[in-house]
Amino acid sequence: MSTAILTGQPVPGSSIEGDLRALGFEVHVATDVAHAGALLARVPGDQRVAVVDARFVGHLHALRLGLADPRFDLTAIPGAVSARAAGRQALTRAMARENPAGGSGAVIVASLADRVTAALDADGADVHRPALGSLVAAVPADPQARNEARQAVASVDEEAVRLRSAVKSGDGLFTTYCISPYSRYVARWCARRGLTPNLVTTASLLTALVAAACAATGTRVGFVAAGVLLIASFVLDCADGQLARYSLQYSTLGAWLDATFDRAKEFAFYAGLALGASRGGDDVWALALGAMVLQTCRHMVDFAFVEAQQDAAAGSSAAPTAALSDRLDGVGWTVWVRRVIILPIGERWAMIAVLTAVATPRVTFCALLAWMAFATAYTTAGRVLRSVTRRARRTDRAARALADLADSGPLAQAAARTLGERFRVPALPAAVTGAALVVLPAALWGPAWATAAGAALSAAFCGLAVARPLKGALDWLVPPLLRATEYGTVLLLAAKAGADSGVNGVLPAAFGLVAAVAYHHYDTVYRIRGNAGAPPAWLIRATGGQEGRTLLVTVLAALLTASQFKVALTVLAVAVGLLVLSESIRFWVAAHQGGAPAVHDEGETA
């Protein structure tokens, strides 16, 4: 139960007490500063507490934004300030500064809440002030000002504002104009029935899995049903975030579920399409795996670039390309064109759904690969230009994040220790060389000992790539390049083994392995974004790191027959999947139960 301490002169007819109770607060009225401090001291340390001026006039949603947002330790609006458990100590200190002599019997006249907020600012506390827009939050000083404030409240459609604010800014064209206009009402319907965002997220996952099962039938009716259900899943996917924003039901666990289930839904649908095509005699598993590889590598480019840039040291000069982008943002239609070009999840799912319903799985995958390849080239080229034209100084935190994204195992770490000082090779050339040493033999000879030898040499160059902090202008390209090396090698070896032997099932087994490893890499990203650091070292050692897994797959491909290689890939996929999934679930559930700050990672543009 949260507690609200109401201070100041009571106002007859005010709804503030009822509003606070509607938000789940237990209300206590303080007669003076000393009484307010005593009430604050009585509130259990693990509960949220708010200090609110009794003269407050404003919208209920303004109070909700100022007092009930679980993402921030300290939040303030005019006439109110609140603190989660982590912000209680700062609030107590600020309150004590308002009563230095131990208090008096005087009734509080000036707004204690605003004075406490000013004291928090003076102490350097990080106080979040939500953007209220047209919502009203005021502490009128006299009856005339109170009447004016009440008229301002009455003139604003609070529910319309709340619905608009539930929609994420910066979404793609399809989501903005074809999904959000009605998905926000789905979110409100869920809120009024007590449904949580996590429940809606789970419903979206189940709908997508049913869509994948329909696609796996291989019939035209199944493909049409799959397309319709995929769009329905996306509507729910948008609604869960809108519900979280509408009702401020943010959580660490919810952000992880939303991001993780997005990947699970899409990869499951790829597998369903490939199974459906196989039933019709068309083997498109290589295309399905290629789509998963390209999409994951493209996301890793996004994640690595953001981690490298957002923490650049102060004083870094802006890139000319960034200035050009800002100017283009002033021309409305160019914003939408650029959002469509990058193929956000809304456009991507819409294209997949439509083509699944009206065309064949092969056409769907070919179109998807072509657009994703163009989008990847477009975004990567722009980010490379920004990086080389911007005078940025990378921080230690950014370098650490890039090193964690690299997923270097024992072999690369040993190579970094033993060879790093003797051979001072720049990170990006070392990573490119390592990629060429294993990918080219895999493409030319497939499963062969020459490929395994190339993988062993590649592991050494991977170590050289991470031997020193990744602070170069283009060092953020190292993690996505390592992803492409590992995934690409598995794809090439599985495709070659299946084609040369005629054994079915090698590519589906490779699909499972890449999906398990990709989950591990996405999970690493989500932990870094949540300031939780990389997965534990034991997990990296147990899964071998990217270079260890690549070497193992090349050795297995050279040593085993195609049938045996299929079994080995399946076993490896299950082992890696169980390890990373169990540890990931343990970590995120523990973080949620341990009171980690609630987050709402907007993630990929919808």
Side-chain angles (χ1 to χ4, degrees):
M1 186 70 174
S2 301
T3 299
I5 301 171
L6 206 57
T7 67
Q9 294 285 356
V11 178
S14 173
S15 65
I16 184 63
E17 288 194 42
D19 289 344
L20 290 170
R21 291 192 176 96
L23 294 176
F25 284 88
E26 181 180 345
V27 181
H28 297 276
V29 179
T31 56
D32 54 38
V33 177
H35 190 200
L39 289 173
L40 177 61
R42 290 185 206 145
V43 179
D46 60 345
Q47 291 185 8
R48 175 183 288 274
V49 64
V51 179
V52 183
D53 195 302
R55 299 168 298 167
F56 178 88
V57 175
H59 290 99
L60 178 61
H61 193 54
L63 271 179
R64 183 182 290 108
L65 292 171
L67 304 182
D69 195 326
R71 296 173 295 175
F72 308 102
D73 294 333
L74 294 163
T75 312
I77 59 174
V81 59
S82 73
R84 295 177 68 249
R88 283 287 298 278
Q89 187 175 4
L91 182 66
T92 302
R93 284 198 306 267
M95 182 79 80
R97 289 176 57 180
E98 294 303 312
N99 187 34
S104 67
V107 175
I108 302 169
V109 177
S111 175
L112 177 62
D114 288 342
R115 300 201 318 263
V116 168
T117 301
L120 287 168
D121 290 334
D123 289 341
D126 185 11
V127 181
H128 171 69
R129 290 175 170 82
L132 299 180
S134 58
L135 296 176
V136 176
V139 182
D142 54 62
Q144 180 179 350
R146 173 171 292 277
N147 287 333
E148 292 174 352
R150 285 174 172 170
Q151 290 173 6
V153 170
S155 67
V156 175
D157 186 344
E158 180 179 8
E159 183 60 22
V161 172
R162 193 177 174 190
L163 278 172
R164 285 196 302 269
S165 64
V167 177
K168 184 174 66 177
S169 62
D171 276 341
L173 185 68
F174 176 77
T175 304
T176 299
Y177 290 105
C178 299
I179 301 296
S180 291
Y182 57 89
S183 63
R184 69 184 76 181
Y185 295 102
V186 174
R188 183 175 68 179
W189 184 89
C190 293
R192 291 177 174 177
R193 283 153 183 79
L195 303 181
T196 66
N198 290 353
L199 187 60
V200 178
T201 301
T202 303
S204 175
L205 173 67
L206 294 176
T207 304
L209 293 180
V210 174
C214 290
T217 63
T219 64
R220 178 51 53 194
V221 172
F223 287 146
V224 171
V228 172
L229 287 171
L230 188 63
I231 293 298
S233 174
F234 184 62
V235 171
L236 293 174
D237 183 51
C238 292
D240 64 359
Q242 291 164 357
L243 173 59
R245 287 182 287 273
Y246 181 85
S247 56
L248 299 189
Q249 296 185 72
Y250 302 109
S251 71
T252 301
L253 184 63
W256 171 69
L257 286 176
D258 184 44
T260 300
F261 284 3
D262 277 352
R263 304 286 78 78
K265 288 180 285 190
E266 200 156 1
F267 294 166
F269 197 82
Y270 291 172
L273 270 182
L275 284 170
S278 297
R279 289 178 180 272
D282 189 11
D283 188 353
V284 296
W285 277 105
L287 296 177
L289 180 50
M292 182 166 63
V293 168
L294 183 55
Q295 179 179 313
T296 305
C297 291
R298 178 244 179 120
H299 282 159
M300 291 302 156
V301 168
D302 297 340
F303 297 145
F305 177 78
V306 169
E307 288 302 323
Q309 298 298 324
Q310 71 176 3
D311 232 18
S316 300
S317 59
T321 49
L324 175 60
S325 178
D326 292 339
R327 288 196 296 272
L328 287 175
D329 284 342
V331 183
W333 65 270
T334 66
V335 175
W336 294 116
V337 169
R338 285 183 292 152
R339 288 181 186 175
V340 170
I341 286 175
I342 64 174
L343 192 60
I345 189 171
E347 274 73 5
R348 193 165 67 246
W349 283 29
M351 181 181 73
I352 293 171
V354 171
L355 290 179
T356 297
V358 304
T360 65
R362 180 172 293 275
V363 170
T364 301
F365 281 123
C366 287
L368 181 63
L369 283 166
W371 196 343
M372 281 201 300
F374 178 74
T376 302
Y378 171 81
T379 55
T380 304
R383 286 167 178 173
V384 167
L385 285 173
R386 288 194 182 202
S387 298
V388 299
T389 56
R390 182 188 185 197
R391 305 298 181 185
R393 297 187 298 277
R394 304 283 182 261
T395 63
D396 291 338
R397 178 197 173 279
R400 179 69 261 168
L402 292 177
D404 292 337
L405 288 175
D407 189 26
S408 300
L411 292 177
Q413 293 172 9
R417 289 192 300 270
T418 57
L419 302 176
E421 290 302 321
R422 295 177 58 188
F423 305 99
R424 301 184 67 84
V425 182
L428 187 57
V432 171
T433 303
L437 283 170
V438 63
V439 171
L440 289 179
L444 293 173
W445 302 302
W449 287 110
T451 306
L457 289 174
S458 175
F461 277 91
C462 289
L464 290 175
V466 297
R468 280 168 294 283
L470 298 174
K471 294 187 175 182
L474 295 177
D475 284 356
W476 57 269
L477 284 168
V478 170
L481 184 59
L482 296 179
R483 296 295 79 74
T485 301
E486 179 181 2
Y487 303 161
T489 300
V490 174
L491 169 60
L492 290 169
L493 291 178
K496 187 73 171 176
D500 290 349
S501 65
V503 173
N504 294 322
V506 182
L507 276 168
F511 187 96
L513 175 59
V514 173
V517 175
Y519 173 85
H520 169 56
H521 291 143
Y522 277 112
D523 188 59
T524 301
V525 169
Y526 304 144
R527 295 188 194 217
I528 292 172
R529 284 185 164 184
N531 294 317
W538 70 262
L539 182 65
I540 305 299
R541 291 193 297 269
T543 56
Q546 55 84 20
E547 81 292 342
R549 290 187 298 270
T550 303
L551 178 59
L552 177 60
V553 169
T554 59
V555 170
L556 291 173
L559 187 64
L560 304 176
T561 65
S563 297
Q564 294 169 334
F565 185 46
K566 176 180 69 175
V567 174
L569 288 177
T570 303
V571 171
L572 190 56
V574 172
V576 172
L578 288 176
L579 268 176
V580 299
L581 187 60
S582 60
E583 201 287 324
S584 174
I585 293 173
R586 180 209 62 79
F587 170 81
W588 289 105
V589 171
H592 178 71
Q593 293 176 342
V599 298
H600 189 68
D601 181 10
E602 300 293 355
E604 182 184 4
T605 298

